[in-house]
Amino acid sequence: MKKIMLYSGICSLILLFAVGVYITNNTDTKTEATAATKNPINTEKVNITNPLVKDYIKGSLENWTSSDSSHYYLSQYRNDIKHVEIRYTKNKDISIELFKIKNAKENEYNHIVKIKFSHRIVILNEKQKLDTTDTLTYKININQFAMNDSILSSDNKIIKLVKYDHKEN
């Protein structure tokens, strides 16, 4: 069952980046691209504003974002909680930024995805309700999505959570 979920997640990410590349190459008025010059690792920053693309990216990353968020809250409130429920966030409360890492090798992470959930409702132990803003930053290697060897390897470099920012509203 885990393999099926992993393969479906990987296929979703492949489609996610294909759509992202297509949208950023078009001159769509709803997609805004700006150069990020302050950080030498990142050559290009793309703010995703098209609602369809935003929804697709959110859906493609949903397995990882919900799992990483649950792990975050369980680790932050170690002994106090046993159950975490994270409510879906509306598209207007989500912002997504994509970065391309300059000079990345084929077997390394080559993109960064930053997804911010504003006004996210988190329920702890079915009682305590939190209104939060969570920002998850992932490194992603789109070159290895379709490679079976990299999925089975314990040292795969497909997707990795690098930063989790949490703020209660």
Side-chain angles (χ1 to χ4, degrees):
M1 185 68 171
K2 282 186 173 182
K3 284 185 181 180
I4 292 172
M5 287 177 54
L6 182 62
Y7 290 139
S8 67
I10 290 170
C11 288
S12 295
L13 283 172
I14 291 170
L15 290 172
L16 158 88
F17 280 100
V19 168
V21 167
Y22 174 76
I23 294 298
T24 57
N25 286 338
N26 271 344
T27 56
D28 187 2
T29 58
K30 292 186 178 181
T31 303
E32 170 185 309
T34 58
T37 56
K38 291 184 179 182
N39 191 345
I41 286 180
N42 303 324
T43 59
E44 183 178 331
K45 171 184 166 186
V46 178
N47 294 318
I48 305 298
T49 57
N50 184 312
L52 294 174
V53 176
K54 190 188 297 188
D55 191 43
Y56 185 78
I57 293 171
K58 179 187 77 144
S60 298
L61 294 175
E62 195 163 349
N63 287 341
W64 286 279
T65 58
S66 63
S67 174
D68 290 332
S69 294
S70 294
H71 288 335
Y72 174 82
Y73 287 102
L74 288 170
S75 68
Q76 286 298 104
Y77 300 92
R78 284 185 196 112
N79 299 324
D80 298 336
I81 64 166
K82 298 195 183 332
H83 182 266
V84 176
E85 179 184 345
I86 299 170
R87 300 274 170 94
Y88 289 104
T89 308
K90 297 176 184 174
N91 268 357
K92 68 177 184 162
D93 293 330
I94 296 174
S95 64
I96 299 173
E97 296 176 346
L98 296 175
F99 300 90
K100 184 176 181 181
I101 299 174
K102 181 171 67 172
N103 300 328
K105 296 179 183 169
E106 187 172 323
N107 59 348
E108 293 179 355
Y109 299 109
N110 50 25
H111 286 79
I112 294 174
V113 176
K114 194 175 193 180
I115 184 165
K116 180 179 182 177
F117 299 96
S118 300
H119 303 291
R120 189 181 214 192
I121 302 299
V122 178
I123 301 172
L124 307 175
N125 285 339
E126 300 176 1
K127 301 182 242 179
Q128 185 180 0
K129 190 175 182 179
L130 304 174
D131 180 12
T132 68
T133 297
D134 293 336
T135 305
L136 290 81
T137 305
Y138 290 98
K139 281 186 177 179
I140 298 177
N141 183 346
I142 62 171
N143 296 329
Q144 292 188 356
F145 283 149
M147 299 177 148
N148 290 333
D149 296 341
S150 65
I151 295 168
L152 300 175
S153 169
S154 61
D155 189 33
N156 67 30
K157 292 186 177 180
I158 297 172
I159 186 166
K160 178 183 178 182
L161 178 69
V162 292
K163 189 173 182 185
Y164 194 107
D165 289 321
H166 167 76
K167 183 180 100 177
E168 290 188 30
N169 299 331

